[in-house]
Amino acid sequence: MFMQQALGLAARAAELGEVPVGALVVLDGEVIGEGFNQPITASDPSAHAEVVALRAAATHMNNYRLPGATLYVTIEPCTMCFGTLVHARIARLVYGAAEPRAGVVVSQLQLAEQTFFNHKIQVEGGVMQDEAGTLVRDFFQKRR
């Protein structure tokens, strides 16, 4: 259900010409923040779906730390986004498709397994990975 919502947000990003990635922050079964990629639209290199969703959740909770929360995102996070998840103290990350080039959870740096962070994030990958991967592939095929 939450990943389906994240895919809907990713589709909104694609409509704006942004790479189709969507994210939700969920706490106790309630969506407390959502976002989609918008670095071009917002003229903000940090406006990745995860960061936008975390900002919204932090504002909603009036706290930059979000213990107990789960972030759902359609694509495996990049270095910046994973670092932001650690700083926000996200308890759990659920992602759709792997991102072989820039994903840092399993594809490249395996950051979730590193011991030098002061916070450990539980990770579940591959949730609706076919749908998420197709959305990104179709987006880039149309741009070529």
Side-chain angles (χ1 to χ4, degrees), residues 5-119:
Q5 285 180 257
L7 286 165
L9 291 166
R12 287 179 55 192
E15 290 168 9
L16 296 172
E18 302 274 5
V19 176
V21 181
L24 299 170
V25 179
V26 176
L27 182 64
D28 298 327
E30 175 192 352
V31 175
I32 60 169
E34 64 179 40
F36 54 85
N37 265 8
Q38 45 196 298
I40 299 165
T41 308
S43 298
D44 179 355
S46 69
H48 289 198
E50 299 95 323
V51 173
V52 174
L54 288 167
R55 287 176 180 157
T59 298
H60 177 84
M61 299 302 291
N62 198 32
N63 191 343
Y64 76 104
R65 294 216 169 134
L66 303 165
T70 298
L71 182 119
Y72 292 83
V73 63
T74 56
I75 301 294
E76 178 185 3
C78 72
T79 308
M80 174 186 70
C81 292
F82 189 82
T84 306
L85 295 173
V86 171
H87 286 289
R89 302 299 193 265
I90 289 293
R92 185 168 169 247
L93 164 66
V94 178
Y95 69 89
E99 211 297 56
R101 294 172 71 178
V104 298
V105 178
V106 294
S107 295
Q108 292 297 330
L109 302 175
Q110 295 80 39
L111 289 182
E113 298 172 22
Q114 301 305 318
T115 58
F116 53 79
F117 289 116
N118 60 351
H119 176 69

